Coordinates of all heavy atoms in Angstrom, one line a residue:
L111 N 144.4 -23.3 42.4 CA 145.6 -22.9 43.1 C 146.3 -21.8 42.3 O 146.2 -21.7 41.1 CB 146.6 -24.0 43.4 CG 146.0 -25.3 44.1 CD1 147.2 -26.3 44.2 CD2 145.5 -24.9 45.5
I112 N 147.0 -20.9 43.1 CA 147.9 -19.9 42.5 C 149.3 -20.3 42.7 O 149.6 -21.1 43.6 CB 147.6 -18.5 43.1 CG1 148.0 -18.5 44.6 CG2 146.1 -18.1 42.9 CD1 148.1 -17.1 45.2
T113 N 150.2 -19.7 41.9 CA 151.6 -19.7 42.2 C 151.9 -18.4 42.9 O 151.8 -17.3 42.3 CB 152.4 -19.8 40.9 OG1 152.0 -21.0 40.1 CG2 153.9 -20.0 41.2
R114 N 152.3 -18.5 44.1 CA 152.6 -17.3 44.9 C 153.8 -16.5 44.4 O 154.8 -17.1 44.0 CB 152.8 -17.7 46.4 CG 151.6 -18.1 47.1 CD 151.8 -18.5 48.5 NE 152.5 -17.5 49.3 CZ 152.3 -17.3 50.6 NH1 151.5 -18.1 51.3 NH2 153.0 -16.4 51.3
D115 N 153.7 -15.2 44.4 CA 154.8 -14.4 43.8 C 155.9 -14.2 44.8 O 157.0 -13.7 44.5 CB 154.3 -13.1 43.3 CG 153.7 -12.1 44.3 OD1 153.7 -12.5 45.5 OD2 153.2 -11.0 44.0
D116 N 155.7 -14.5 46.1 CA 156.7 -14.3 47.1 C 157.7 -15.5 47.3 O 158.9 -15.3 47.4 CB 156.1 -13.9 48.4 CG 155.1 -14.9 49.0 OD1 154.8 -15.8 48.3 OD2 154.6 -14.7 50.1
G118 N 157.0 -18.6 45.3 CA 157.0 -19.4 44.1 C 156.5 -20.8 44.2 O 156.9 -21.7 43.5
V119 N 155.5 -21.0 45.1 CA 154.9 -22.4 45.3 C 153.4 -22.3 45.0 O 152.8 -21.2 44.9 CB 155.2 -22.9 46.7 CG1 156.7 -23.0 47.0 CG2 154.5 -22.0 47.8
E120 N 152.9 -23.5 44.8 CA 151.4 -23.6 44.5 C 150.7 -23.5 45.8 O 151.0 -24.3 46.8 CB 151.1 -24.9 43.8 CG 152.0 -25.1 42.5 CD 152.0 -23.9 41.6 OE1 150.9 -23.6 41.1 OE2 153.1 -23.4 41.4
A121 N 149.7 -22.7 45.9 CA 149.0 -22.4 47.2 C 147.5 -22.1 46.9 O 147.1 -21.7 45.8 CB 149.7 -21.3 47.9
I122 N 146.8 -22.2 48.0 CA 145.4 -21.7 48.0 C 145.4 -20.2 47.8 O 146.2 -19.5 48.5 CB 144.7 -22.1 49.3 CG1 144.7 -23.6 49.5 CG2 143.3 -21.5 49.4 CD1 144.4 -24.0 51.0
P123 N 144.5 -19.6 46.9 CA 144.5 -18.2 46.9 C 143.9 -17.7 48.2 O 143.0 -18.3 48.8 CB 143.5 -17.9 45.7 CG 142.7 -19.2 45.6 CD 143.6 -20.3 46.0
G124 N 144.4 -16.6 48.7 CA 143.9 -16.0 50.0 C 144.9 -15.0 50.5 O 145.9 -14.7 49.9
E140 N 139.7 -11.8 48.4 CA 141.0 -12.3 48.1 C 140.9 -13.2 46.8 O 141.8 -13.2 46.0 CB 141.6 -13.1 49.3 CG 142.1 -12.3 50.4 CD 143.4 -11.6 50.1 OE1 144.0 -12.0 49.1 OE2 143.8 -10.7 50.8
L141 N 139.9 -14.0 46.8 CA 139.7 -14.9 45.6 C 139.6 -14.1 44.3 O 140.2 -14.4 43.3 CB 138.4 -15.8 45.8 CG 138.1 -16.8 44.7 CD1 139.3 -17.8 44.6 CD2 136.8 -17.5 44.9
R142 N 138.8 -13.0 44.4 CA 138.6 -12.2 43.2 C 139.9 -11.5 42.8 O 140.3 -11.4 41.6 CB 137.5 -11.1 43.5 CG 137.2 -10.3 42.3 CD 136.3 -9.1 42.6 NE 135.1 -9.5 43.3 CZ 134.7 -9.2 44.5 NH1 135.5 -8.4 45.3 NH2 133.6 -9.6 45.0
E143 N 140.6 -11.0 43.8 CA 141.9 -10.2 43.5 C 143.0 -11.1 43.0 O 143.7 -10.7 42.1 CB 142.4 -9.5 44.8 CG 141.5 -8.4 45.3 CD 142.0 -7.8 46.6 OE1 142.9 -8.3 47.2 OE2 141.5 -6.7 47.0
E144 N 143.0 -12.3 43.4 CA 144.2 -13.2 43.0 C 143.9 -14.1 41.8 O 144.8 -14.5 41.2 CB 144.6 -14.1 44.2 CG 145.1 -13.2 45.4 CD 145.8 -14.1 46.5 OE1 145.8 -15.3 46.4 OE2 146.3 -13.5 47.4
T145 N 142.6 -14.3 41.5 CA 142.3 -15.2 40.4 C 141.2 -14.7 39.5 O 141.0 -15.3 38.4 CB 141.7 -16.6 41.0 OG1 140.4 -16.4 41.5 CG2 142.6 -17.2 42.1
G146 N 140.6 -13.6 39.8 CA 139.5 -13.0 39.0 C 138.2 -13.8 39.1 O 137.2 -13.4 38.4
V189 N 142.3 -15.9 36.1 CA 143.4 -15.1 35.6 C 144.2 -14.7 36.8 O 143.7 -14.1 37.8 CB 143.0 -13.9 34.8 CG1 144.2 -13.1 34.3 CG2 142.1 -14.3 33.6
A190 N 145.6 -14.9 36.8 CA 146.4 -14.5 37.9 C 146.3 -13.0 38.1 O 146.4 -12.2 37.2 CB 147.9 -14.9 37.6
G191 N 146.2 -12.6 39.4 CA 146.1 -11.2 39.8 C 147.1 -10.9 40.9 O 148.2 -11.4 40.9
D192 N 146.6 -10.1 41.9 CA 147.4 -9.7 43.0 C 148.1 -10.9 43.7 O 147.4 -11.9 44.0 CB 146.6 -9.0 44.1 CG 146.1 -7.6 43.6 OD1 146.6 -7.2 42.5 OD2 145.3 -7.0 44.3
D193 N 149.4 -10.8 44.0 CA 150.2 -11.8 44.7 C 150.3 -13.2 44.0 O 150.7 -14.2 44.6 CB 149.6 -12.1 46.1 CG 149.5 -10.8 46.9 OD1 150.4 -10.0 46.8 OD2 148.5 -10.6 47.7
A194 N 149.9 -13.2 42.7 CA 150.0 -14.5 42.0 C 150.7 -14.3 40.7 O 150.4 -13.3 40.0 CB 148.6 -15.0 41.7
V195 N 151.6 -15.2 40.3 CA 152.2 -15.1 39.0 C 151.6 -16.1 38.0 O 151.8 -16.0 36.8 CB 153.7 -15.4 39.1 CG1 154.4 -14.3 39.9 CG2 154.0 -16.8 39.7
A196 N 150.8 -17.0 38.6 CA 150.0 -17.9 37.7 C 148.9 -18.5 38.5 O 148.8 -18.4 39.7 CB 150.9 -19.1 37.2
V197 N 147.9 -19.0 37.8 CA 146.7 -19.6 38.4 C 146.3 -20.8 37.6 O 146.4 -20.7 36.3 CB 145.5 -18.7 38.6 CG1 145.1 -18.1 37.3 CG2 144.4 -19.3 39.4
A198 N 145.9 -21.9 38.2 CA 145.6 -23.1 37.4 C 144.7 -24.1 38.2 O 144.6 -24.0 39.5 CB 146.9 -23.9 37.0

Side-chain angles (χ1 to χ4, degrees):
L111 300 179
I112 65 166
T113 305
R114 289 178 53 150
D115 65 0
D116 55 354
V119 298
E120 307 310 298
I122 300 165
E140 287 288 347
L141 182 63
R142 185 191 301 119
E143 289 177 353
E144 296 191 357
T145 70
V189 180
D192 291 353
D193 303 324
V195 295
V197 60

